Amino acid sequence: MERNPVPLTPRWAGRAAAAVLVHPGLWGTAVTQLFVLARPGWWRRWPPLPVPDPDYLRFRLVTAYGGAGHHAPDPADLISYLHWCRGMRGLSR
């Protein structure tokens, strides 16, 4: 698999955050998933941000959108994913 960076730019992060902000019921799920998906020891790497491992993220982008994993996720897809996560958490209780 190519070693190109995944397409999550600050602009994308802003759009994603704006999409989540208008769904207060998903805020807790979003924060939880942020840390669930963060690579182990994320606080030891600079910059210390809880982001997924680039290889994992690329794999998820390839399986979701096809191609080489260079397609940034649509913020609407992020909202759908968070709804799914919240629903799955409810099933596991």
Side-chain angles (χ1 to χ4, degrees):
M1 199 168 265
E2 296 178 32
R3 298 300 294 174
N4 293 337
V6 293
L8 301 186
T9 63
R11 182 172 182 253
W12 178 86
R15 290 178 52 223
V20 172
L21 282 175
V22 298
H23 294 88
L26 294 176
W27 293 355
T29 302
V31 171
T32 298
Q33 287 308 115
L34 184 66
F35 288 97
V36 164
L37 296 175
R39 35 179 189 185
W42 61 267
W43 58 88
R44 286 185 242 133
R45 294 180 182 91
W46 191 258
L49 300 171
V51 295
D53 181 88
D55 290 334
Y56 172 76
L57 187 54
R58 189 174 303 105
F59 166 76
R60 297 304 301 151
L61 292 172
V62 167
T63 59
Y65 298 104
H70 301 289
H71 184 283
D74 187 275
D77 292 340
L78 172 62
I79 298 303
S80 295
Y81 168 73
L82 293 173
H83 278 290
W84 179 82
C85 290
R86 186 178 65 186
M88 293 307 291
R89 184 179 60 201
L91 289 176
S92 67
R93 292 182 182 181

